[in-house]
Amino acid sequence: MLTVDFQRFRVTPGDRILDMGCGAGRHAFELYRRGAHVVAFDLDADELAGVETMFGAMRLEGEVPEGATAETVQGDALALPFPDDHFDKIIASEVLEHIPDDMRAMRELLRVLKPGGRLAVTVPSWLPERVCWALSEDYHTAPGGHVRIYTRAELEAKFKSIGFKVGGHHHAHGLHAPYWWIKCAVGVNDDGNPLAKAYHQILVWDIMKRPLATRLAERALNPVIGKSVVVYFAKPSVPSAPAAPAKETADAV
């Protein structure tokens, strides 16, 4: 289930791309299939082990173009272990809402992205997330859980304040918000609840089959209750020039 729209976020074979906070690797796998040189980065060693196994299986099955590469790197988003201006593109999907010092993480993304490079950021949308927080304290107080709810305006303003340019946005996963509302209402850890199980089965069926009816329904729901908001940014090719110092006048002290 991809959140980033690869029609908007074009990947060229040979691009060096960081999937920062890759989790189980869904975007990293798609980048690999498209011929990129992928670095799947995460703090969780267990998640990365699963991603590495999947990379190997994809190679064995011939699912990736010749020349594409993929590796996993464990580390902290606040101190990325990469040189300046290293990546052509970066994806940071559903990660910033977990990081208390999000501005420091954003500055690290700016540092390792090449001038002219593009960044795709996804976070939970404000309204669906606010409903989840209202329904369940466990949803957002569990260790490693969400520490903030972004508005799109706040997310864009933070990235703009450190030098990024905004390049459009959209919402995704409108059918998934009701599932999480149900989970929060019945208990986020109650996987046996009949209503939650039934809705989950519908989501799995939709992901596997992608029927026209649910695609149209999600397209209509996304702007209203899309579970995620996706914002695209670009790092300017030329850094902004510092402001010129004020000219001295005869009255200057």
Side-chain angles (χ1 to χ4, degrees), residues 2 4-11 30-31 34 91:
L2 299 174
V4 173
D5 181 354
F6 286 95
Q7 295 299 311
R8 296 177 183 237
F9 192 75
R10 298 283 185 177
V11 174
E30 182 64 21
L31 295 169
R34 290 172 180 263
I91 291 175

Side-chain angles (χ1 to χ4, degrees), residues 124-134 139 146 148-149 227:
S125 298
W126 184 87
L127 177 59
E129 188 75 349
R130 179 60 68 188
V131 173
C132 287
W133 282 46
Y139 173 83
H146 299 179
R148 71 177 57 78
I149 303 176
K227 185 69 170 66

Side-chain angles (χ1 to χ4, degrees), residues 62-76:
E63 292 185 26
V64 295
E66 185 176 353
T69 63
E71 62 175 314
T72 58
V73 176
Q74 184 182 10
D76 189 341

Side-chain angles (χ1 to χ4, degrees), residues 110-183:
L110 180 71
R111 179 182 67 79
V112 302
L113 185 62
K114 290 180 179 179
R118 296 192 66 209
L119 166 68
V121 176
T122 91
V123 296
S125 298
W126 184 87
L127 177 59
E129 188 75 349
R130 179 60 68 188
V131 173
C132 287
W133 282 46
L135 289 171
S136 171
E137 186 173 347
D138 290 340
Y139 173 83
H140 64 94
T141 59
H146 299 179
V147 299
R148 71 177 57 78
I149 303 176
Y150 289 102
T151 64
R152 178 172 60 84
E154 177 192 359
L155 185 69
E156 292 179 351
K158 284 186 171 184
F159 275 101
K160 287 170 67 177
S161 73
I162 61 171
F164 278 101
K165 293 183 177 180
V166 180
H169 76 277
H170 62 87
H171 292 78
H173 312 316
L175 292 175
H176 290 247
Y179 170 71
W180 282 104
W181 296 341
I182 293 168
K183 287 281 287 181

Side-chain angles (χ1 to χ4, degrees), residues 32 99 122:
Y32 198 19
I99 302 175
T122 91

